[in-house]
Amino acid sequence: MPVSLPRTGPRGRLLATSALLVLALTAVTSCSSSGGSSSADEDPNAKITLTVNLFSDFGYADLYKEYEQAHPNITIKENRADMGAHHQNLHAHLLAGSGTADIEAIEIGQVAGFQPEAGKFVNFLDNGVSKDQWVPSKTAPASSPDGKVLFGLGTDMGGMALCYRSDLFKAAGLPTDREQVAALMKDWPSYLAAGKQFLSASPNKDVRWFDSGGNLFTSILAQAPQGVYDADGKVVVTSNPAVKQSFDLVAGAIKDGESAGIQAFTPAWDTGFQKSQFATVACPAWMSYEFKANPPADGGKWDIARIPGGGGNWGGSYLSVPKSGKHTKAAAELAKWLTAPAQEARLFKEKGYFPSDQELWTQPDIAEHTDPLFNDAPTGKIFSQSARDLSPQPLGAHGAEIGTAIGNALTSIEQGKADPDGAWKQALKDVDNIVN
Amino acid sequence: MAAPTAAARGARAPARPAGRRPAGHRPAGHRRHRLDRTLSPYLYLSPFFLVFGVFGLFPMLYTGYVSFTGWRADRPGSAGDWVGFENYRKLLDDPFFWNAVKNTLGIGVLATVPQLLLALGLAHLLNYRMRGRTLLRLGVLLPNVTSVAAVTLIFVQLFGRDFGLVNWFLSLFGVDHVDWQAGTLSSWTAIAAIVTWRWTGYNALLYLAAMQTVPFELYEAAALDGASRWRQFRSITIPMLRPTILFTVIVSTIGALQLFGEPMLFSQQQDPTTGGSQHQFQTLALYSYNQFWGRFKYGYGAAISWAMFLLIVLVAAVNFLAARRMRGVE
Amino acid sequence: MTGRRSRTTRQLTAGRGVYAVLGVAVLLSLFPLYWTLVAASRTNTEIHRMPPVLLPGGRLWHNVTQVFAQTDLRLAMLNSLVVATTVTASVVLTSTLGGFAFAKLRFPGRSPLLASVVATMMVPTQLGIIPLYIMMANWFHWADHLQALIVPAAANAFGLFFMRQYLIGAVPDELLDAGRMDGCTTRGLVWHVVLPAARPAMSVLGMLTFMAAWNDFYWPKVVMTQQNPTVQLTLSELASGYIKDYSLVLTGALVASAPVLVAFLLMGRQIIDGIMQGATKG
């Protein structure tokens, strides 16, 4: 142990021991360079371990077991890191040319940032993958600019819906039936008008209409034909009117007191679900876990309806295979299998992750799937519809960052530190700092 | 405890393994003795300089080189673009950079000064003779053992806007709920509290170790002269602790200027490296990280980190000189 | 331990006020650790309750088995133990020798060298990280091996500087001069004078170094993978995802802190005794 220093002689032994330890460690180490071994000529039956780096639970555990049974020579090991750290590490490891796992997940908000490095990934188009498995809006961000390289296979997507607390709606005299809710809130202005009505009529004055301005902004802008990038990869925050319109809409709602001002994915947000601090949340399919994990403490129930404005996408991911991995060929096969329609369908039914494979959206067992978590709502139908209504938006390297900057500006309005004008100016300064 | 004086009488050092020294055949000593006195210091210092040279200096210089390029990951092929001092010029006009400097210094003062004063007081108390001394002394070090994940979660809850314990406590005195992350001063205070909580015991232990070396006779003599306890503390303990105090001041200053983990964990935004909705607690380390990793501006990020290094050197030097002037520390 | 009794009798005895203040300080220090225990014995849902739950629940065992089932914590603990122990031994040794050289030996270049050591502490580590990683991975081929964590940490400026500041006061010059007069070589002085005098500081430094190595996260995260993880790396895996199960995160945190706490309790007496043997007065 480090701090028990013998009182006399054996001090030298301490030195010797530590030196020996270092030596021993160095000696044990064979030079196993993980630099791009050509796995093309690898024995297909050799025992190998494939590593998969993810940034959250993709729900793959059972699928791995199945794959390992079918391929006795393969063992799969999954690692997860924090979302930000995961992508930063991937950038660092690509830069260094080593250290990547066999399969690396990439989130859609980050994927465009990897386009310049497309050459460092296995090209799935050379590995028997057809782009037609997905809609172009899913494949384009994970392709090289010339379209010749596809480096990411779509996993799930963030088809949008509106989650709402039917018990709180009822208490405030709003409709609780899904169809009626959707009819009442056809578009965002009518959604916000319903919010005002809710706030004035709700007996519980601690409840706000939605969780945070940043989330709402994301959902609104996701439906515009263009977001913060145009098709040429230029940032169009100032020139695309949809951005400012979405911002103003949300800023107005914050001024009306409709926002709880609780940032998503923070501990306070979890508490917000439990303590019923908001009555509606714009919810992509992958968010369903949050509702499972943090049920309302007052026994209230969540339900789910079509999103105002219809369509839109928020989140979703890809699997990629960096060339610097040890077993690129086997890894590409596994990635293909994990993202194949059959497996994607299973993941939706078991975990609620909505598939990005377009053929599934019309498949009966998907389209008719219902979810007991949301009062047996037809989630399959709602998300398929949303996916079909999706107008693909061009993405860019800093999409996630720019979204964060605008979200921060909205937060500063929620905190009472800025008026909408000042906040917008602040956002533009931030965007300028990101781009230049 | 081997009495050193007795030990020093042993005319020769104990037998030692052969090695490292040119075996001088000349009858003993003088030359070898001189060689010993000349070479030993360098020998003792060599491990550190070797390790630092390879694993510290080289990467640092490489980052320095990068700071003179326009390298950005979102511009393929920009890795070798030499731009001279362009990044540094941009830095001087960058409001976010100056904002980060301001935050770093502000949080640094708030986090360092009370912390060291508390640590000194705590060490003094721990130096008393009492029951359960061992447990008490180890107890104050616990914050440093507690894992960061736990610390974050706890402090975020303590400083929660709607249900935080701190706000609940303040509300007893009729104070409205404070949104700790929102305000500049409130966020600085909260972050300084986290830093203070984590590091006070640590510094107290450093002081305590140094307090043990103060000869007790000094206190006895002072007590005979009728000096009060406080007076003894001020005119014996503090002066005797000077080297260690200087050490903790410099180390804490450097630590505060490199503050990274605490503000990041305190953030309740989706991107913790922005340091609040209006960058109100974005420190320099956070800003450089944000430019480097979040925005792939390798050249610019490298320049920020070098500017940060220069700032730290500047502040530490000022501190050091001030401490020296004030007390004539060796 | 002969010197000890005579020493303690010469200390100020604590009054009630001292106990009270220290009691509060220790409570404040203990609380988060206690709360970690509470959270580790409950469900994620319970943790987010407001007002917070303050008593342990009954799920500790369930959570611990979950953590061990979901992660490779055994390997991680072993790795962290090897790294932290080796780094500690090396840092304490190199710091004591180097600190002694700076504190008590005269040699050309002493001041600039000392200034450069202090200056190295000011280097923000995070951004040397990419070059460092490239070195480790492509030149040394150490990526994902423990020496990537051990060797760069084998000596540090903090320890060196700390030891120097301590030894200035702890080793009186007369003692060294006497030793020289008696014909001690420098190594003899280290052996007979410096090491005994440095023991209190060595134990403190050892403890702090061990904790820092055990808790280090940023660099391991870059250079190691989950194939060969450290404890903190494994913990971060628990804390990942859109949605975090904090009860598992904190259970992991508890399990990971346990060895350090045990070491504390076992070593505590010795550390304190070390500190108590006020170095130089006989």
Side-chain angles (χ1 to χ4, degrees):
Chain A
M1 269 327 269
V3 280
S4 71
L5 294 169
R7 340 198 60 224
T8 45
R11 282 206 187 87
R13 208 161 54 199
L14 193 68
L15 176 63
T17 318
S18 59
L20 264 177
L21 250 172
V22 175
L23 267 175
L25 284 167
T26 326
V28 168
T29 310
S30 57
C31 277
S32 59
S33 152
S34 53
S37 54
S38 64
S39 58
D41 42 50
E42 210 171 70
D43 170 17
N45 294 321
K47 283 232 179 296
I48 55 171
T49 299
L50 292 177
T51 52
V52 183
N53 274 8
L54 309 177
F55 50 82
S56 68
D57 183 4
F58 280 39
Y60 285 160
D62 294 343
L63 293 179
Y64 294 149
K65 285 201 191 92
E66 192 177 318
Y67 196 81
E68 285 168 340
Q69 273 164 2
H71 306 76
N73 61 319
I74 291 179
T75 316
I76 303 168
K77 187 162 184 317
E78 176 188 292
N79 313 303
R80 291 179 211 158
D82 202 56
M83 181 155 148
H86 167 84
H87 291 98
Q88 283 152 12
N89 273 353
L90 182 53
H91 272 291
H93 289 156
L94 287 174
L95 205 65
S98 73
T100 52
D102 294 306
I103 295 182
E104 295 267 2
I106 303 178
E107 208 263 349
I108 195 164
Q110 302 266 357
V111 72
F114 289 94
Q115 282 178 2
E117 324 206 64
K120 294 180 177 171
F121 292 98
V122 165
N123 183 0
F124 289 114
L125 298 181
D126 302 340
N127 279 273
V129 173
S130 156
K131 279 191 184 179
D132 299 340
Q133 195 179 330
W134 302 271
V135 281
S137 63
K138 188 72 180 180
T139 51
S143 303
S144 60
D146 61 7
K148 289 198 176 110
V149 177
L150 175 69
F151 62 87
L153 303 176
T155 57
D156 66 328
M157 63 184 294
M160 300 289 293
L162 183 74
C163 293
Y164 65 98
R165 283 281 299 272
S166 50
D167 55 314
L168 298 176
F169 271 39
K170 191 172 178 180
L174 290 178
T176 55
D177 173 77
R178 290 172 208 119
E179 295 301 326
Q180 287 178 334
V181 167
L184 176 71
M185 309 177 194
K186 267 202 173 48
D187 50 23
W188 293 107
S190 56
Y191 162 80
L192 294 176
K196 273 193 195 164
Q197 197 186 328
F198 173 87
L199 289 182
S200 62
S202 171
N204 180 347
K205 290 299 170 203
D206 291 335
V207 188
R208 295 277 169 268
W209 185 234
F210 56 87
D211 52 350
S212 77
N215 269 8
L216 186 61
F217 173 83
T218 306
S219 316
I220 297 176
L221 188 61
Q223 295 174 354
Q226 258 185 19
V228 294
Y229 279 93
D230 68 7
D232 302 331
K234 282 218 171 29
V235 175
V236 290
V237 172
T238 45
S239 54
N240 176 10
V243 180
K244 184 72 164 74
Q245 280 160 8
S246 310
F247 182 90
D248 289 341
L249 205 57
V250 177
I254 293 171
K255 280 276 167 231
D256 294 338
E258 295 192 37
S259 171
I262 301 170
Q263 300 304 307
F265 319 117
T266 60
W269 196 55
D270 294 344
T271 307
F273 274 93
Q274 292 183 22
K275 302 284 280 189
S276 312
Q277 289 185 278
F278 36 83
T280 64
V281 175
C283 52
W286 45 258
M287 212 184 262
S288 67
Y289 181 86
E290 181 69 30
F291 298 87
K292 246 190 229 115
N294 293 298
D298 56 16
K301 287 275 179 289
W302 286 97
D303 209 318
I304 191 164
R306 200 180 62 91
I307 188 106
N313 179 73
W314 176 13
S317 304
Y318 300 89
L319 295 184
S320 70
V321 176
K323 282 181 182 166
S324 57
K326 287 197 188 79
H327 314 288
T328 49
K329 205 145 193 77
E333 288 307 311
L334 173 59
K336 269 158 61 178
W337 185 82
L338 286 171
T339 54
Q343 283 62 255
E344 291 284 323
R346 238 181 95 179
L347 287 172
F348 178 60
K349 283 182 265 186
E350 290 169 14
K351 308 277 174 188
Y353 297 135
F354 191 74
S356 59
D357 300 277
Q358 55 176 341
E359 67 177 67
L360 291 177
W361 303 343
T362 48
Q363 218 169 279
D365 60 336
I366 299 290
E368 286 158 25
H369 184 73
T370 59
D371 194 338
L373 184 66
F374 296 107
N375 193 11
D376 288 327
T379 48
K381 184 168 147 234
I382 290 170
F383 287 122
S384 310
Q385 189 59 47
S386 163
R388 273 196 298 273
D389 290 349
L390 176 69
S391 55
Q393 246 180 23
L395 297 173
H398 301 294
E401 293 272 309
I402 293 170
T404 300
I406 298 173
N408 279 349
L410 290 164
T411 303
S412 70
I413 305 175
E414 282 163 354
Q415 293 171 334
K417 295 177 62 186
D419 58 10
D421 271 348
W424 176 249
K425 285 199 184 81
Q426 156 91 25
L428 292 186
K429 268 193 213 137
D430 255 315
V431 170
D432 185 58
N433 174 270
I434 293 166
V435 179
N436 300 310
Chain B
M1 179 107 183
T5 36
R9 259 178 240 124
R12 272 289 144 83
R16 64 182 79 88
R20 275 200 304 231
R21 220 193 276 212
H25 287 308
R26 300 285 293 274
H30 205 64
R31 226 190 63 201
R32 210 169 79 185
H33 195 64
R34 274 233 330 258
L35 206 62
D36 167 58
R37 292 194 76 157
T38 329
L39 286 183
S40 288
Y42 299 109
L43 190 72
Y44 294 161
L45 292 172
S46 59
F48 169 78
F49 282 100
L50 198 71
V51 167
F52 177 75
V54 178
F55 300 107
L57 192 65
F58 172 78
M60 189 178 144
L61 294 177
Y62 187 88
T63 302
Y65 157 74
V66 170
S67 75
F68 290 104
T69 68
W71 188 17
R72 299 177 54 137
D74 54 1
R75 298 214 183 117
S78 62
D81 294 346
W82 185 263
V83 296
F85 281 92
E86 176 61 24
N87 286 324
Y88 291 92
R89 207 188 45 71
K90 216 160 83 178
L91 203 61
L92 295 177
D93 297 335
D94 180 355
F96 294 106
F97 170 72
W98 292 110
N99 171 62
V101 171
K102 183 187 80 181
N103 293 338
T104 305
L105 294 175
I107 297 173
V109 170
L110 280 178
T112 312
V113 178
Q115 176 198 329
L116 292 182
L117 291 175
L118 276 171
L120 203 55
L122 200 57
H124 180 69
L125 296 181
L126 287 169
N127 203 10
Y128 278 92
R129 194 159 53 114
M130 57 193 148
R131 277 156 209 251
R133 199 176 48 203
T134 306
L135 279 178
L136 285 172
R137 286 178 179 177
L138 292 177
V140 298
L141 206 53
L142 279 177
N144 228 278
V145 189
T146 315
S147 90
V148 175
V151 173
T152 312
L153 204 57
I154 289 154
F155 275 92
V156 163
Q157 295 217 335
L158 283 176
F159 289 110
R161 182 191 64 191
D162 298 328
F163 306 105
L165 274 178
V166 177
N167 279 348
W168 170 82
F169 184 74
L170 289 176
S171 69
L172 299 180
F173 302 94
V175 181
D176 269 349
H177 275 189
V178 180
D179 189 346
W180 290 94
Q181 273 86 5
T184 305
L185 205 58
S186 64
S187 59
W188 288 9
T189 309
I191 290 168
I194 300 175
V195 177
T196 304
W197 179 82
R198 282 195 74 196
W199 295 97
T200 300
Y202 183 97
N203 284 311
L205 221 64
L206 296 183
Y207 289 147
L208 186 62
M211 279 179 185
Q212 305 297 323
T213 66
V214 181
F216 196 76
E217 295 77 18
L218 286 179
Y219 292 116
E220 282 174 335
L224 283 176
D225 291 343
S228 67
R229 287 251 172 118
W230 168 241
R231 177 81 228 208
Q232 290 175 30
F233 178 70
R234 241 184 43 204
S235 42
I236 299 170
T237 312
I238 302 272
M240 293 295 287
L241 253 55
R242 265 181 207 157
T244 305
I245 289 176
L246 184 66
F247 169 78
T248 52
V249 165
I250 288 184
V251 171
S252 304
T253 303
I254 292 170
L257 292 175
Q258 294 186 20
L259 207 57
F260 175 74
E262 284 87 352
M264 181 141 161
L265 299 172
F266 176 70
S267 172
Q268 287 286 286
Q269 303 297 119
Q270 291 198 26
D271 176 1
T273 60
T274 59
S277 59
Q278 297 181 319
H279 306 269
Q280 60 267 36
F281 53 91
Q282 185 174 41
T283 58
L284 273 169
L286 271 185
Y287 185 49
S288 65
Y289 186 92
N290 163 279
Q291 294 292 299
F292 205 87
W293 286 117
R295 302 178 179 179
F296 324 131
K297 293 152 83 169
Y298 298 132
Y300 196 57
I304 297 169
S305 69
W306 263 87
M308 187 173 146
F309 174 54
L310 297 175
L311 180 85
I312 292 171
V313 171
L314 192 77
V315 173
V318 167
N319 255 350
F320 182 75
L321 292 175
R324 253 170 105 136
R325 283 193 70 142
M326 255 165 32
R327 314 211 177 91
V329 178
E330 83 105 19
Chain C
M1 303 277 154
T2 41
R4 210 174 131 221
R5 226 181 35 193
S6 58
R7 173 148 303 282
T8 44
T9 53
R10 308 157 125 214
Q11 281 204 321
L12 305 170
T13 309
R16 216 170 286 164
V18 175
Y19 279 116
V21 175
L22 286 178
V24 170
V26 169
L27 274 184
L28 282 175
S29 304
L30 258 174
F31 177 74
L33 203 66
Y34 170 74
W35 197 85
T36 307
L37 175 69
V38 172
S41 61
R42 292 188 169 269
T43 64
N44 192 34
T45 312
E46 289 169 322
I47 294 179
H48 294 293
R49 270 211 201 124
M50 289 291 170
V53 268
L54 291 174
L55 290 174
R59 282 172 58 93
L60 182 59
W61 183 242
H62 170 269
N63 284 343
V64 169
T65 47
Q66 272 290 306
V67 165
F68 273 94
Q70 283 187 19
T71 61
D72 208 348
L73 205 54
R74 274 186 202 79
L75 171 66
M77 295 256 230
L78 189 70
N79 277 344
S80 284
L81 200 64
V82 170
V83 170
T85 310
T86 318
V87 165
T88 302
S90 168
V91 164
V92 169
L93 243 143
T94 53
S95 300
T96 310
L97 292 177
F100 164 63
F102 274 138
K104 295 292 169 186
L105 301 178
R106 307 248 164 266
F107 53 95
R110 184 167 88 144
S111 298
L113 281 178
L114 178 61
S116 70
V117 168
V118 176
T120 62
M121 274 197 288
M122 306 177 191
V123 181
T125 40
Q126 334 160 0
L127 287 165
I129 231 142
I130 286 199
L132 188 60
Y133 179 78
I134 292 174
M135 275 167 68
M136 283 288 176
N138 300 351
W139 302 1
F140 295 93
H141 296 300
W142 283 359
D144 214 19
H145 292 298
L146 293 186
Q147 58 268 43
L149 302 178
I150 293 170
V151 180
N156 68 46
F158 170 85
L160 200 57
F161 190 34
F162 170 65
M163 272 303 186
R164 176 202 177 248
Q165 298 306 87
Y166 177 84
L167 289 172
I168 286 172
V171 179
D173 291 348
E174 308 82 68
L175 210 56
L176 292 171
D177 293 340
R180 293 262 189 221
M181 299 293 285
D182 286 348
C184 267
T185 56
T186 312
R187 186 180 305 207
L189 290 178
V190 168
W191 201 253
H192 295 292
V193 181
V194 178
L195 284 177
R199 276 196 55 192
M202 281 166 95
S203 38
V204 173
L205 179 64
M207 192 161 62
L208 300 183
T209 308
F210 187 85
M211 280 186 339
W214 186 266
N215 288 328
D216 190 21
F217 176 60
Y218 192 70
W219 171 237
K221 198 169 176 75
V222 173
V223 79
M224 306 300 279
T225 69
Q226 299 283 2
Q227 313 316 309
N228 197 18
T230 65
V231 160
Q232 304 302 328
L233 213 54
T234 303
L235 286 189
S236 76
E237 201 175 340
L238 283 170
S240 65
Y242 290 122
I243 319 290
K244 296 178 174 56
D245 183 341
Y246 288 105
S247 65
L248 286 190
V249 174
L250 292 176
T251 304
L254 193 71
V255 173
S257 316
V260 186
L261 291 172
V262 169
F264 253 40
L265 293 174
L266 291 179
M267 308 301 314
R269 181 144 294 282
Q270 293 203 36
I271 290 164
I272 298 306
D273 280 349
I275 294 176
M276 290 315 301
Q277 291 182 10
T280 52
K281 278 81 38 209

